[in-house]
Amino acid sequence: MQSSMLRKGMIVGMGNSMLDLIGHVSEDVLDKYKLVANNGYLAAEEHMPLFQELMEKYNAKFVVGGSVQNTFRVTQWVLNVPKVCTIFGGIGCDQEGKVLVSKAEADGVDTQYQYINGTPTGICAVLLTKNGAERTLVANLSAASCFTIDHLQKEENHNRLQVADVVYVAGFFLPVSVESVLYAAQCVHNRSTGTFAMNLSASYIAERYLTEWTRVMPYIDLLFGNETEARVFAKELKFKQVKDLHEIALELSHMPKLRPQQRIVVLTQGCDPVIVAKDGVTKEYPVIQLSPEKVIDTTGAGDAFVGGFLAQFIQNRPLEQCISCGIWCATQIVQQQGCSLEGFVKYETVNNKNK
Protein backbone atom coordinates (compact mmCIF):
# COMPACT_ATOMS: atom_id res chain seq x y z
CA MET A 1 0.00 0.00 0.00
CA GLN A 2 1.25 3.47 -0.87
CA SER A 3 0.71 4.82 2.66
CA SER A 4 3.12 7.70 2.00
CA MET A 5 0.57 9.33 -0.32
CA LEU A 6 -2.20 9.14 2.26
CA ARG A 7 -2.88 12.15 4.47
CA LYS A 8 -5.38 13.38 7.00
CA GLY A 9 -8.70 14.55 5.59
CA MET A 10 -8.39 13.16 2.07
CA ILE A 11 -12.03 12.08 2.27
CA VAL A 12 -14.67 14.24 3.95
CA GLY A 13 -18.29 13.20 4.30
CA MET A 14 -21.68 14.04 5.76
CA GLY A 15 -24.20 11.57 7.02
CA ASN A 16 -26.77 10.65 9.65
CA SER A 17 -24.61 9.01 12.30
CA MET A 18 -26.78 6.83 14.50
CA LEU A 19 -26.87 3.65 16.51
CA ASP A 20 -28.41 0.64 14.78
CA LEU A 21 -30.89 -1.45 16.75
CA ILE A 22 -30.68 -4.84 15.03
CA GLY A 23 -33.13 -7.69 15.50
CA HIS A 24 -34.29 -10.80 13.63
CA VAL A 25 -38.06 -10.57 13.18
CA SER A 26 -40.86 -12.39 11.40
CA GLU A 27 -42.35 -10.95 8.24
CA ASP A 28 -45.50 -10.28 10.26
CA VAL A 29 -43.66 -7.38 11.88
CA LEU A 30 -43.10 -5.80 8.47
CA ASP A 31 -46.81 -6.21 7.70
CA LYS A 32 -47.78 -4.73 11.07
CA TYR A 33 -45.84 -1.53 10.40
CA LYS A 34 -46.60 -1.48 6.66
CA LEU A 35 -42.98 -1.94 5.65
CA VAL A 36 -41.58 -3.53 2.50
CA ALA A 37 -38.50 -5.73 2.89
CA ASN A 38 -35.15 -4.27 1.83
CA ASN A 39 -36.45 -0.70 1.85
CA GLY A 40 -35.54 2.25 4.05
CA TYR A 41 -37.96 4.53 5.91
CA LEU A 42 -37.95 7.66 8.02
CA ALA A 43 -39.74 6.83 11.26
CA ALA A 44 -43.22 8.33 11.54
CA GLU A 45 -45.45 8.37 14.62
CA GLU A 46 -46.86 4.95 13.79
CA HIS A 47 -43.36 3.45 13.80
CA MET A 48 -42.35 4.60 17.28
CA PRO A 49 -43.61 1.48 19.15
CA LEU A 50 -41.38 -0.62 16.89
CA PHE A 51 -38.20 0.34 18.74
CA GLN A 52 -39.49 -0.83 22.11
CA GLU A 53 -40.96 -3.95 20.55
CA LEU A 54 -37.59 -4.86 19.04
CA MET A 55 -35.91 -4.70 22.43
CA GLU A 56 -38.64 -6.44 24.42
CA LYS A 57 -39.76 -9.17 22.02
CA TYR A 58 -36.83 -9.75 19.70
CA ASN A 59 -33.79 -9.21 21.92
CA ALA A 60 -32.46 -6.59 19.52
CA LYS A 61 -28.91 -5.31 20.04
CA PHE A 62 -27.37 -1.87 19.60
CA VAL A 63 -24.38 -1.54 17.27
CA VAL A 64 -22.69 1.50 15.76
CA GLY A 65 -24.35 2.48 12.49
CA GLY A 66 -24.99 5.33 10.09
CA SER A 67 -24.33 4.90 6.38
CA VAL A 68 -21.40 7.30 5.92
CA GLN A 69 -19.85 6.41 9.26
CA ASN A 70 -19.98 2.72 8.29
CA THR A 71 -18.40 3.53 4.93
CA PHE A 72 -15.59 5.53 6.49
CA ARG A 73 -14.90 2.90 9.16
CA VAL A 74 -14.42 0.36 6.36
CA THR A 75 -12.22 2.77 4.36
CA GLN A 76 -10.05 3.33 7.41
CA TRP A 77 -9.86 -0.41 8.03
CA VAL A 78 -8.58 -1.01 4.49
CA LEU A 79 -6.07 1.86 4.56
CA ASN A 80 -4.86 1.36 8.14
CA VAL A 81 -3.76 5.02 8.29
CA PRO A 82 -5.64 7.14 10.87
CA LYS A 83 -7.89 10.08 10.05
CA VAL A 84 -7.82 9.82 6.27
CA CYS A 85 -11.62 10.15 6.58
CA THR A 86 -13.40 13.04 8.32
CA ILE A 87 -17.14 12.93 9.05
CA PHE A 88 -19.74 15.64 9.74
CA GLY A 89 -23.19 15.00 11.18
CA GLY A 90 -25.47 15.78 14.10
CA ILE A 91 -25.39 13.77 17.34
CA GLY A 92 -26.82 14.22 20.82
CA CYS A 93 -24.96 15.23 23.96
CA ASP A 94 -25.70 11.82 25.48
CA GLN A 95 -24.15 8.45 26.18
CA GLU A 96 -25.16 7.15 22.75
CA GLY A 97 -23.31 10.04 21.14
CA LYS A 98 -20.23 9.25 23.18
CA VAL A 99 -20.42 5.63 21.97
CA LEU A 100 -20.56 6.78 18.34
CA VAL A 101 -17.56 9.07 18.71
CA SER A 102 -15.45 6.56 20.61
CA LYS A 103 -16.15 3.76 18.14
CA ALA A 104 -15.56 5.89 15.04
CA GLU A 105 -12.31 7.29 16.42
CA ALA A 106 -11.16 3.84 17.53
CA ASP A 107 -11.60 2.77 13.91
CA GLY A 108 -9.52 5.74 12.72
CA VAL A 109 -12.24 8.19 11.61
CA ASP A 110 -11.79 11.89 12.39
CA THR A 111 -15.14 12.97 13.90
CA GLN A 112 -16.21 16.60 13.53
CA TYR A 113 -19.79 16.28 14.71
CA GLN A 114 -22.21 19.06 15.49
CA TYR A 115 -23.49 18.43 19.03
CA ILE A 116 -27.22 19.06 19.43
CA ASN A 117 -28.34 20.01 22.93
CA GLY A 118 -31.61 18.56 24.20
CA THR A 119 -32.09 16.04 21.38
CA PRO A 120 -30.98 12.41 21.62
CA THR A 121 -28.64 10.66 19.21
CA GLY A 122 -30.56 8.98 16.40
CA ILE A 123 -31.46 5.30 16.30
CA CYS A 124 -32.13 3.17 13.22
CA ALA A 125 -34.20 0.02 13.59
CA VAL A 126 -32.73 -2.76 11.43
CA LEU A 127 -35.25 -5.54 10.83
CA LEU A 128 -33.70 -8.77 9.60
CA THR A 129 -35.92 -11.29 7.87
CA LYS A 130 -35.26 -14.55 6.01
CA ASN A 131 -32.37 -15.37 8.38
CA GLY A 132 -30.64 -12.10 7.66
CA ALA A 133 -30.81 -12.25 3.86
CA GLU A 134 -33.18 -9.24 3.86
CA ARG A 135 -32.92 -6.10 5.95
CA THR A 136 -35.37 -3.23 6.35
CA LEU A 137 -34.43 0.11 7.91
CA VAL A 138 -36.57 2.51 9.95
CA ALA A 139 -34.61 5.59 11.02
CA ASN A 140 -35.55 7.86 13.90
CA LEU A 141 -33.09 10.62 13.06
CA SER A 142 -33.48 12.75 16.22
CA ALA A 143 -30.23 14.77 16.57
CA ALA A 144 -29.09 13.74 13.09
CA SER A 145 -31.99 15.75 11.63
CA CYS A 146 -30.83 18.94 13.38
CA PHE A 147 -27.54 19.45 11.50
CA THR A 148 -27.16 23.01 10.18
CA ILE A 149 -25.05 24.58 7.46
CA ASP A 150 -23.32 26.97 9.86
CA HIS A 151 -21.31 24.01 11.18
CA LEU A 152 -19.74 23.62 7.72
CA GLN A 153 -19.22 27.36 7.41
CA LYS A 154 -16.88 27.46 10.39
CA GLU A 155 -13.45 28.30 9.04
CA GLU A 156 -11.82 25.04 10.13
CA ASN A 157 -14.60 22.92 8.59
CA HIS A 158 -14.77 24.95 5.38
CA ASN A 159 -11.02 24.39 5.05
CA ARG A 160 -11.53 20.65 5.45
CA LEU A 161 -13.94 20.68 2.51
CA GLN A 162 -11.49 22.73 0.45
CA VAL A 163 -8.58 20.31 0.76
CA ALA A 164 -10.44 16.97 0.50
CA ASP A 165 -9.75 14.80 -2.54
CA VAL A 166 -13.23 13.28 -2.20
CA VAL A 167 -16.37 14.68 -0.57
CA TYR A 168 -18.94 11.91 -0.04
CA VAL A 169 -22.56 12.38 1.04
CA ALA A 170 -25.36 9.85 1.53
CA GLY A 171 -28.71 10.59 -0.08
CA PHE A 172 -30.13 10.05 3.41
CA PHE A 173 -28.75 13.51 4.27
CA LEU A 174 -30.89 15.41 1.74
CA PRO A 175 -33.98 15.58 3.99
CA VAL A 176 -31.77 16.92 6.79
CA SER A 177 -29.99 19.82 5.06
CA VAL A 178 -29.91 20.04 1.29
CA GLU A 179 -28.25 23.45 1.67
CA SER A 180 -25.35 21.79 3.49
CA VAL A 181 -25.00 19.23 0.70
CA LEU A 182 -24.98 22.00 -1.92
CA TYR A 183 -22.44 23.98 0.10
CA ALA A 184 -20.09 20.97 0.18
CA ALA A 185 -20.65 20.25 -3.51
CA GLN A 186 -19.90 23.85 -4.45
CA CYS A 187 -16.68 23.79 -2.42
CA VAL A 188 -15.48 20.97 -4.66
CA HIS A 189 -16.82 22.52 -7.84
CA ASN A 190 -15.34 25.98 -7.25
CA ARG A 191 -11.78 24.68 -6.99
CA SER A 192 -12.18 22.43 -10.07
CA THR A 193 -10.25 19.57 -8.46
CA GLY A 194 -11.41 16.68 -6.33
CA THR A 195 -14.45 14.43 -6.61
CA PHE A 196 -17.96 14.96 -5.28
CA ALA A 197 -19.55 11.55 -4.65
CA MET A 198 -23.05 10.64 -3.53
CA ASN A 199 -25.21 7.61 -2.85
CA LEU A 200 -28.85 7.14 -3.87
CA SER A 201 -29.29 5.57 -0.39
CA ALA A 202 -33.01 4.67 -0.40
CA SER A 203 -36.12 4.55 -2.55
CA TYR A 204 -37.93 7.12 -0.41
CA ILE A 205 -35.34 9.73 -1.38
CA ALA A 206 -36.55 9.46 -4.99
CA GLU A 207 -40.20 9.33 -3.98
CA ARG A 208 -40.19 12.23 -1.49
CA TYR A 209 -37.06 14.30 -2.05
CA LEU A 210 -36.53 14.25 -5.79
CA THR A 211 -36.51 18.06 -6.02
CA GLU A 212 -33.66 18.25 -3.51
CA TRP A 213 -31.78 15.46 -5.25
CA THR A 214 -32.05 17.06 -8.71
CA ARG A 215 -30.56 20.28 -7.29
CA VAL A 216 -27.46 18.36 -6.25
CA MET A 217 -27.20 16.00 -9.22
CA PRO A 218 -25.28 18.41 -11.56
CA TYR A 219 -22.38 18.43 -9.07
CA ILE A 220 -22.11 14.64 -8.71
CA ASP A 221 -18.97 13.12 -10.27
CA LEU A 222 -19.36 9.64 -8.78
CA LEU A 223 -22.74 8.10 -7.97
CA PHE A 224 -23.44 4.86 -6.07
CA GLY A 225 -26.68 2.95 -5.59
CA ASN A 226 -28.31 -0.45 -5.61
CA GLU A 227 -30.72 -2.04 -8.05
CA THR A 228 -33.90 -1.26 -6.09
CA GLU A 229 -33.04 2.40 -5.58
CA ALA A 230 -31.92 2.82 -9.19
CA ARG A 231 -35.21 1.52 -10.58
CA VAL A 232 -37.27 3.78 -8.31
CA PHE A 233 -35.17 6.80 -9.30
CA ALA A 234 -35.62 5.85 -12.97
CA LYS A 235 -39.38 5.73 -12.49
CA GLU A 236 -39.55 9.05 -10.62
CA LEU A 237 -37.24 10.72 -13.17
CA LYS A 238 -39.43 9.33 -15.96
CA PHE A 239 -36.64 7.52 -17.75
CA LYS A 240 -37.69 5.59 -20.86
CA GLN A 241 -36.21 2.43 -19.32
CA VAL A 242 -37.12 1.65 -15.70
CA LYS A 243 -36.05 -2.01 -15.52
CA ASP A 244 -32.79 -2.49 -17.45
CA LEU A 245 -30.05 -1.47 -15.02
CA HIS A 246 -27.49 -0.97 -17.78
CA GLU A 247 -29.74 1.61 -19.44
CA ILE A 248 -30.60 3.23 -16.12
CA ALA A 249 -26.91 3.53 -15.20
CA LEU A 250 -26.16 5.10 -18.56
CA GLU A 251 -29.01 7.58 -18.29
CA LEU A 252 -27.94 8.58 -14.78
CA SER A 253 -24.40 9.11 -16.06
CA HIS A 254 -25.68 11.33 -18.88
CA MET A 255 -27.85 13.61 -16.73
CA PRO A 256 -26.76 17.28 -16.83
CA LYS A 257 -23.45 17.93 -15.11
CA LEU A 258 -21.54 21.14 -14.38
CA ARG A 259 -18.06 19.71 -14.93
CA PRO A 260 -16.93 18.49 -18.36
CA GLN A 261 -15.83 15.01 -17.29
CA GLN A 262 -18.62 12.44 -17.46
CA ARG A 263 -20.17 11.07 -14.31
CA ILE A 264 -19.32 7.51 -13.19
CA VAL A 265 -22.30 5.49 -11.95
CA VAL A 266 -21.81 2.32 -9.89
CA LEU A 267 -24.81 0.08 -9.18
CA THR A 268 -24.68 -2.97 -6.93
CA GLN A 269 -27.29 -5.70 -7.05
CA GLY A 270 -26.65 -8.12 -4.21
CA CYS A 271 -25.28 -11.43 -5.43
CA ASP A 272 -25.51 -10.32 -9.08
CA PRO A 273 -22.71 -8.42 -10.85
CA VAL A 274 -21.87 -4.79 -10.14
CA ILE A 275 -22.76 -2.54 -13.08
CA VAL A 276 -20.59 0.47 -13.90
CA ALA A 277 -21.44 3.19 -16.43
CA LYS A 278 -18.44 5.21 -17.60
CA ASP A 279 -17.67 7.11 -20.80
CA GLY A 280 -20.92 6.07 -22.45
CA VAL A 281 -20.61 2.31 -21.93
CA THR A 282 -21.42 -0.14 -19.15
CA LYS A 283 -19.48 -3.05 -17.78
CA GLU A 284 -20.31 -5.84 -15.34
CA TYR A 285 -18.09 -7.05 -12.50
CA PRO A 286 -18.97 -10.44 -10.95
CA VAL A 287 -19.22 -10.56 -7.17
CA ILE A 288 -17.94 -13.19 -4.75
CA GLN A 289 -20.57 -15.88 -4.29
CA LEU A 290 -21.24 -17.03 -0.73
CA SER A 291 -23.26 -20.03 0.35
CA PRO A 292 -26.57 -18.92 1.98
CA GLU A 293 -25.55 -20.13 5.45
CA LYS A 294 -22.61 -17.69 5.46
CA VAL A 295 -24.86 -14.66 4.97
CA ILE A 296 -25.67 -13.50 8.50
CA ASP A 297 -26.76 -9.88 7.99
CA THR A 298 -26.78 -7.73 4.84
CA THR A 299 -26.84 -4.51 6.91
CA GLY A 300 -24.00 -2.26 5.81
CA ALA A 301 -23.07 -4.28 2.72
CA GLY A 302 -23.59 -1.32 0.41
CA ASP A 303 -21.76 0.98 2.84
CA ALA A 304 -18.84 -1.45 2.97
CA PHE A 305 -18.71 -1.65 -0.82
CA VAL A 306 -18.36 2.13 -1.06
CA GLY A 307 -15.78 2.09 1.74
CA GLY A 308 -13.59 -0.40 -0.10
CA PHE A 309 -14.07 1.43 -3.40
CA LEU A 310 -13.03 4.80 -1.96
CA ALA A 311 -9.98 3.30 -0.24
CA GLN A 312 -8.58 2.44 -3.67
CA PHE A 313 -10.04 5.42 -5.52
CA ILE A 314 -8.12 8.00 -3.47
CA GLN A 315 -4.90 6.15 -4.30
CA ASN A 316 -5.65 6.53 -8.02
CA ARG A 317 -5.97 2.79 -8.46
CA PRO A 318 -7.66 1.43 -11.63
CA LEU A 319 -11.46 1.28 -11.56
CA GLU A 320 -11.32 -2.52 -11.64
CA GLN A 321 -9.33 -2.53 -8.40
CA CYS A 322 -11.74 -0.08 -6.76
CA ILE A 323 -14.64 -2.40 -7.63
CA SER A 324 -12.73 -5.50 -6.51
CA CYS A 325 -11.94 -4.02 -3.11
CA GLY A 326 -15.55 -2.87 -2.71
CA ILE A 327 -16.87 -6.33 -3.46
CA TRP A 328 -14.44 -7.96 -1.06
CA CYS A 329 -15.37 -5.59 1.78
CA ALA A 330 -19.10 -6.13 1.23
CA THR A 331 -18.53 -9.89 1.26
CA GLN A 332 -16.83 -9.61 4.64
CA ILE A 333 -19.57 -7.45 6.17
CA VAL A 334 -22.48 -9.76 5.29
CA GLN A 335 -20.80 -12.50 7.30
CA GLN A 336 -20.98 -10.34 10.45
CA GLN A 337 -23.76 -8.95 12.65
CA GLY A 338 -24.04 -5.28 11.70
CA CYS A 339 -21.16 -3.34 10.20
CA SER A 340 -18.54 -5.04 12.36
CA LEU A 341 -14.85 -5.04 11.47
CA GLU A 342 -13.81 -7.56 14.09
CA GLY A 343 -12.00 -10.64 12.89
CA PHE A 344 -11.36 -9.35 9.37
CA VAL A 345 -8.33 -10.44 7.37
CA LYS A 346 -6.45 -7.38 6.19
CA TYR A 347 -7.37 -6.53 2.60
CA GLU A 348 -3.78 -5.98 1.43
CA THR A 349 -2.91 -9.50 2.58
CA VAL A 350 -5.60 -11.03 0.39
CA ASN A 351 -4.90 -8.64 -2.48
CA ASN A 352 -1.19 -9.48 -2.50
CA LYS A 353 -1.97 -13.20 -2.65
CA ASN A 354 -4.09 -12.64 -5.73
CA LYS A 355 -1.46 -10.71 -7.68
Side-chain angles (χ1 to χ4, degrees):
M1 176 178 295
Q2 301 173 358
S3 58
S4 61
M5 70 178 292
L6 298 173
R7 58 175 173 80
K8 182 178 179 180
M10 288 184 77
I11 306 176
V12 173
M14 290 187 291
N16 300 327
S17 293
M18 301 183 288
L19 288 177
D20 284 347
L21 180 61
I22 301 179
H24 287 265
V25 303
S26 66
E27 293 183 39
D28 292 343
V29 174
L30 301 187
D31 294 336
K32 177 180 178 180
Y33 290 97
K34 298 179 181 179
L35 306 171
V36 177
N38 284 329
N39 276 354
Y41 300 85
L42 285 177
E45 191 64 34
E46 61 267 23
H47 298 127
M48 292 307 170
L50 170 63
F51 297 88
Q52 193 66 28
E53 184 175 342
L54 276 175
M55 290 187 285
E56 292 179 352
K57 294 184 179 180
Y58 296 96
N59 195 31
K61 304 296 183 184
F62 281 108
V63 299
V64 174
S67 177
V68 174
Q69 182 157 287
N70 285 342
T71 288
F72 284 2
R73 289 170 57 226
V74 171
T75 300
Q76 289 290 163
W77 165 75
V78 173
L79 296 176
N80 199 30
V81 175
K83 297 189 176 182
V84 173
C85 298
T86 300
I87 187 168
F88 296 119
I91 65 172
C93 302
D94 51 17
Q95 183 59 37
E96 289 75 16
K98 291 179 181 178
V99 170
L100 280 177
V101 171
S102 63
K103 182 60 178 175
E105 292 188 346
D107 289 332
V109 180
D110 179 25
T111 61
Q112 298 296 328
Y113 289 123
Q114 183 178 28
Y115 288 87
I116 311 298
N117 286 314
T119 306
T121 297
I123 297 174
C124 182
V126 181
L127 313 179
L128 303 180
T129 49
K130 295 187 177 178
N131 295 318
E134 295 181 343
R135 67 98 182 93
T136 307
L137 308 177
V138 182
N140 183 11
L141 297 181
S142 295
S145 68
C146 300
F147 185 89
T148 54
I149 191 172
D150 60 289
H151 187 67
L152 296 183
Q153 292 171 332
K154 292 179 179 179
E155 183 178 0
E156 63 272 24
N157 292 334
H158 176 81
N159 290 340
R160 289 181 173 100
L161 290 169
Q162 292 284 30
V163 300
D165 287 12
V166 174
V167 173
Y168 174 65
V169 184
F172 290 125
F173 206 71
L174 288 174
V176 172
S177 179
V178 65
E179 298 304 329
S180 295
V181 179
L182 285 167
Y183 183 83
Q186 288 161 0
C187 282
V188 178
H189 176 73
N190 291 342
R191 57 187 166 91
S192 74
T193 59
T195 298
F196 183 73
M198 199 155 181
N199 202 309
L200 298 178
S201 293
S203 298
Y204 75 80
I205 301 299
E207 295 165 340
R208 297 168 56 186
Y209 300 98
L210 194 65
T211 299
E212 290 83 352
W213 187 81
T214 52
R215 290 177 66 191
V216 178
M217 185 60 168
Y219 295 95
I220 300 175
D221 302 305
L222 176 59
L223 180 65
F224 299 94
N226 68 30
E227 77 278 24
T228 302
E229 300 154 2
R231 290 187 173 114
V232 174
F233 269 86
K235 177 183 175 183
E236 296 298 324
L237 290 165
K238 296 180 170 42
F239 286 179
K240 291 182 180 179
Q241 178 56 255
V242 296
K243 292 185 178 181
D244 187 320
L245 288 173
H246 287 267
E247 292 299 321
I248 293 171
L250 281 173
E251 194 150 0
L252 286 169
S253 73
H254 289 141
M255 287 183 70
K257 189 172 181 297
L258 292 173
R259 283 177 167 178
Q261 71 267 35
Q262 195 172 65
R263 180 181 298 113
I264 299 173
V265 177
V266 182
L267 300 180
T268 61
Q269 43 179 348
C271 60
D272 292 325
V274 176
I275 295 172
V276 178
K278 182 177 183 289
D279 297 330
V281 297
T282 61
K283 186 174 180 179
E284 289 190 352
Y285 296 83
V287 302
I288 300 168
Q289 297 297 328
L290 293 175
S291 56
E293 64 271 13
K294 288 187 176 181
V295 179
I296 295 174
D297 178 5
T298 57
T299 305
D303 301 335
F305 174 87
V306 177
F309 184 104
L310 292 179
Q312 304 304 313
F313 185 79
I314 62 167
Q315 298 180 87
N316 299 315
R317 299 285 170 76
L319 183 60
E320 290 74 13
Q321 190 166 336
C322 298
I323 297 291
S324 176
C325 185
I327 289 170
W328 192 82
C329 290
T331 303
Q332 295 297 306
I333 285 294
V334 300
Q335 298 179 73
Q336 315 282 331
Q337 182 84 57
C339 191
S340 172
L341 308 180
E342 296 177 6
F344 274 27
V345 177
K346 287 297 182 184
Y347 174 75
E348 63 265 27
T349 302
V350 175
N351 192 48
N352 289 337
K353 287 181 180 178
N354 293 333
K355 287 183 178 178

